[in-house]
Each structure stands twice: as C-alpha cells, then as structure tokens.
Amino acid sequence: ALQNHPASRRAWRDARAAAAVVEQVQGYFMPTVSATVGVDRQKTVTNTNSFDRDVMTYGPGLQVNYLILNFGGGGRAAVEQALQTVYALNFGFNRAIQDVLLGAETAFYGLVSAQAGAEAAQASVKDAKTALEAAKEGLNAGLGTELDVLQAQASYDRSSYGLAAAEGLVQIARGALAQAMGFPADVAVQVAPPAREAPDSLASADVRRLIDDALGRRPDIAALRATLAAKTAAVKVAASPLWPSLYFNGSVNRDYFERFGGGETQEDDWALLGGFSLEWTLFDGRQTRHAEQAAAEQAESARAQLRQAELAASADVWVRYQSYETALKKHAFSAAYLKSASASYEMALDSYKAGLKTILDLLNAEAQLAQARQQNVAARQEAFTALVQFAHATGLLERGSLEQTDRMFSTPTRKDHQP
C-alpha cells in the first residue's frame, strides 16, 4: 500500500514542492544580476544648425540589485514562513502514510473476517445438513414426522442462503483491500490470517499519558503547529514594508558611439555606477496595515484550529481506547458463547437422535450456534480493527507496530517549531 497508493505519493510531492518554495524565498534575498544590451539613437535639430547632433549609442551592460537589510525583519520572517510550511507538509506526509496504513490494515481485517464468516457459514450449512439427515432418518425410523423434515429443510435452505451472502462479502472485501493497496479492485489479493486469536489488552495504560503523548506525537497536530508558526511569521512579513529597506545598486556598461553626418567623434567608454539607497514607503493607503491585520487574524484562526484539533485528538484517543477495551471484552464473551453454543448443539443433536428432544430444540440450538460463530468472527475483527484505530489515534501506527504492541509507545515526536 505504501508503495502503490497515490495518497502517499501526492503528499510526498506536496512536501517536495514546499521545499522548493523555501529555496525560492531564500533566493529573493540574494543579489539580482541582470545582463542588458541597449541601442539608442539621439538626433537633435536646432534652428542655427550649429548644435545639430545625430549619435547612436550601443553596448552591453550588467546591473546588480541587492537587498542588504529590511529593518522590519521581513527577509528572515519570509524564510521562516516558508520553512514552517515545509514542516507542516512533511508532517502531513507522515500522517498520509498513517492514513494509508489505517486503510490497508482495516481492509485486511475486513477480508480476514469475511473469509472467517464464509467458513462459519459453511460450518452452519454442514450442521443444518446434519440436522436434515437426522430428521429424515427419524422419519424413516418412525420416530419423526414429515414436519420435522420440512423444518430441517427450511433451516438448511436458510443456511445455504447465508453462505451465498458470505461468499459475496468475501469478494467485496477482497476488492476493498486491493483498492486500499493501490491496485485495481479486480486484483485477486491473497492474505494469511493473523497469528493471534486476539490482540493484547492495554487495561493498565494511563489514558491521560496516552492523550498527552498523542498530542506530542501525532503528525497532523504537529502540522497544525507548524502552520501556526508559518502564520505567525506571515504577520511579520506583512508588516515589513512599514520599515525602511537598504539596497545596494550597481551597474557596468560598455558604451560604443557612432556619429552620423560628420562632426566630432566621441570615444567609446565604460560607465560604472555603484551606490546605496534607502527606500521607505511613507504612505500606501494603509494597504500594509490592513495586510498585517489580515495576517494577524489568520494566525489567530490557525491558533484556534490547533486548539480545536487538540481537543478532537484527545477525544479520539479516549474513544478509541474505550472501544478497544470493549472490543476485547466482547471477544472474550463471544468465545465463551461459541463454546457453550457448540456444546449445546452437540447435546441437542444427540438428544434428538435418541428421541429426547424435538426438532425445534435441535434447530434452535443450531441457529444459536450459527449466531455464536458469526458473533465470534465479528468480535475478532472488531478487536483487531479497534487496535488499528487506537494506534492511529495516538499517532503510533507504523509498519509492524501491531506485531509488537509493547513497543507502540517508544517513538514520541518532538513538538518542534512552536511559536
């Protein structure tokens, strides 16, 4: 999925584009050198003809312009703004990777669950067929009725219907996993089920610490922090025109002269110019002031967005943690329910064959066993999926992280570049 999914590639390209913008911004504060070639012809006609002039000047030249200093710190702020934008997009790329992993692993457990559901449906069909054969044998032996056979046949047909539906869900889940891996939906993806029946419990974890760690580790929160830093730098950039800027200006020109109509000939020469200029905009219709105000409001908006995201992230961790613990309990109860339902079905089948139970008792036990199988499959999927979502909420979803749950909290991310 990481190699093929276009979401991770797009996020990476966005980050690289932002890195190029940093280089572009830094280039604004380097000297600008321009090459020029000029051709001028000046013709002056006077009444007395004594001062008539017809001269053509031509030649190459170089011009240099260099911003030495902006007293408002706009240059440094612009570079900082671009850098923080890169940081934000890099963190966004990290989160995109986690999103791809979340989608792939969720789809993986969806396919594994669908396959297990199909196997459970096949087992239910087998149980229904056993009950049908027992009913027919009872009818032939004079111990049952034709109604028993019809009821058992109906149960068998219902189980076959369920099997067909379960097999269709397998194909749908297979297409979803292929899409999550960046392949066309018709690619026949083959998977191996998890080695463990269920993940480990984290009941002893400190949820407050998990929330604090998530706020310091989640790439999307770090991206918003970097965005806030970029918006804060943008305020200084917007206000920089209020301060004077010191420039160096220079030029070198080679001038060639050609006179038309006779007269004195001017010699070719070099023209050299160098100096400093101080530029200060005294009034621009308050455009700069309004731009600064707009940038400040955008920074405050980014601050509020960060706070909102932090609150949402803390709630996300809390909900995912509780969902994970609940899913583990449900899986444990579903396993116990499957065990008791299996024993009940075996006893009901033996009792029916011995004439101690009716066909309704057997069919009820069979339906209960089928329900227990499907419930156990769903609970197992819910437990693994809840772990994936919990790891994603805490910013810990990495390759192989679910195979080593005890190491999930060992790689915190620094809260870099906060304003």
Side-chain angles (χ1 to χ4, degrees):
L2 293 177
Q3 292 175 353
N4 296 296
H5 204 286
S8 57
R9 295 186 181 184
R10 186 183 70 177
W12 172 243
R13 295 301 176 184
D14 289 343
R16 288 179 61 87
V21 171
V22 174
E23 301 294 335
Q24 178 184 4
V25 172
Q26 291 175 336
Y28 291 156
F29 307 100
M30 299 293 290
T32 301
V33 181
S34 304
T36 62
V37 176
V39 178
D40 297 306
R41 184 169 181 177
Q42 180 182 1
K43 185 175 183 179
T44 304
V45 179
T46 64
N47 291 331
T48 61
N49 296 327
S50 59
F51 295 101
D52 288 357
R53 180 182 176 85
D54 189 358
V55 178
M56 183 173 67
T57 305
Y58 61 92
L62 291 176
Q63 293 182 349
V64 178
N65 294 290
Y66 180 37
L67 173 61
I68 299 176
L69 176 65
N70 173 259
F71 289 91
R76 292 188 300 272
V79 174
E80 178 66 14
Q81 179 186 4
L83 283 173
Q84 293 295 343
T85 302
V86 173
Y87 298 149
L89 289 173
N90 280 337
F91 284 125
F93 171 63
N94 293 342
R95 193 57 170 175
I97 290 177
Q98 293 184 346
D99 292 341
V100 170
L101 286 172
L102 174 65
E105 294 185 12
T106 301
F108 165 77
Y109 290 118
L111 176 56
V112 169
S113 177
Q115 291 176 335
E119 294 174 358
Q122 291 175 348
S124 297
V125 169
K126 182 179 179 181
D127 293 339
K129 185 176 181 180
T130 300
L132 177 59
E133 292 175 351
K136 290 180 178 180
E137 291 176 0
L139 178 63
N140 295 333
L143 301 176
T145 64
E146 187 174 351
L147 180 59
D148 292 349
V149 176
L150 292 176
Q151 289 177 327
Q153 181 67 48
S155 177
Y156 176 77
D157 294 337
R158 183 177 65 251
S159 299
S160 300
Y161 174 87
L163 176 59
E167 291 174 343
L169 291 177
V170 171
Q171 298 304 319
I172 294 175
R174 196 184 304 278
L177 178 57
Q179 181 183 8
M181 295 173 62
F183 296 119
D186 59 345
V187 173
V189 180
Q190 302 297 328
V191 298
R196 291 181 293 174
E197 180 62 24
D200 300 327
S201 175
L202 298 174
S204 60
D206 183 355
V207 181
R208 179 69 261 174
R209 181 179 66 84
L210 294 178
I211 292 176
D212 292 340
D213 288 346
L215 294 180
R217 182 184 293 111
R218 279 181 50 157
D220 55 335
I221 301 298
L224 290 176
R225 290 194 182 99
T227 299
L228 175 56
K231 296 290 186 181
T232 303
V235 177
K236 201 167 187 178
V237 173
S240 62
L242 295 173
W243 297 83
S245 297
L246 179 63
Y247 290 89
F248 169 76
N249 310 108
S251 64
V252 178
N253 294 280
R254 175 61 171 169
D255 297 325
Y256 298 94
F257 297 90
E258 183 174 346
R259 186 178 181 85
F260 300 92
E264 297 182 0
T265 302
Q266 186 172 350
E267 295 182 357
D268 301 334
D269 59 26
W270 289 90
L272 306 178
L273 173 66
F276 297 91
S277 62
L278 188 66
E279 296 184 9
W280 194 354
T281 302
L282 299 179
F283 182 73
D284 62 355
R286 296 184 59 83
Q287 296 182 46
T288 301
R289 286 295 187 186
H290 291 307
E292 180 186 11
Q293 181 182 0
E297 295 299 336
Q298 291 174 355
E300 289 304 315
S301 175
R303 193 183 305 277
Q305 183 182 8
L306 171 60
R307 180 55 181 162
Q308 182 181 6
E310 289 176 340
L311 292 174
S314 64
D316 192 20
V317 173
W318 174 263
V319 170
R320 297 304 180 187
Y321 172 78
Q322 300 300 335
S323 298
Y324 178 54
E325 290 297 319
T326 301
L328 292 181
K329 293 177 182 178
K330 290 169 65 177
H331 180 265
F333 289 133
S334 70
Y337 179 35
L338 177 60
K339 183 177 180 180
S340 60
S342 299
S344 176
Y345 171 76
E346 294 296 336
M347 185 175 293
L349 179 61
D350 293 339
S351 298
Y352 176 75
K353 290 182 179 180
L356 302 177
K357 294 286 186 179
T358 65
I359 190 65
L360 293 179
D361 295 327
L362 176 58
L363 296 181
N364 286 336
E366 174 196 326
Q368 193 174 49
L369 177 56
Q371 181 185 25
R373 287 195 183 103
Q374 294 297 336
Q375 191 176 88
N376 181 253
V377 169
R380 185 169 185 257
Q381 178 190 8
E382 184 178 352
F384 279 106
T385 303
L387 176 59
V388 174
Q389 293 173 342
F390 176 63
H392 184 266
T394 55
L396 292 160
L397 190 57
E398 302 172 353
R399 289 188 58 182
S401 60
L402 301 187
E403 298 299 327
Q404 298 176 345
T405 309
D406 56 335
R407 298 179 58 187
M408 286 178 59
F409 303 98
S410 60
T411 56
T413 299
R414 293 169 49 205
K415 299 181 181 179
D416 288 338
H417 311 293
Q418 297 185 59

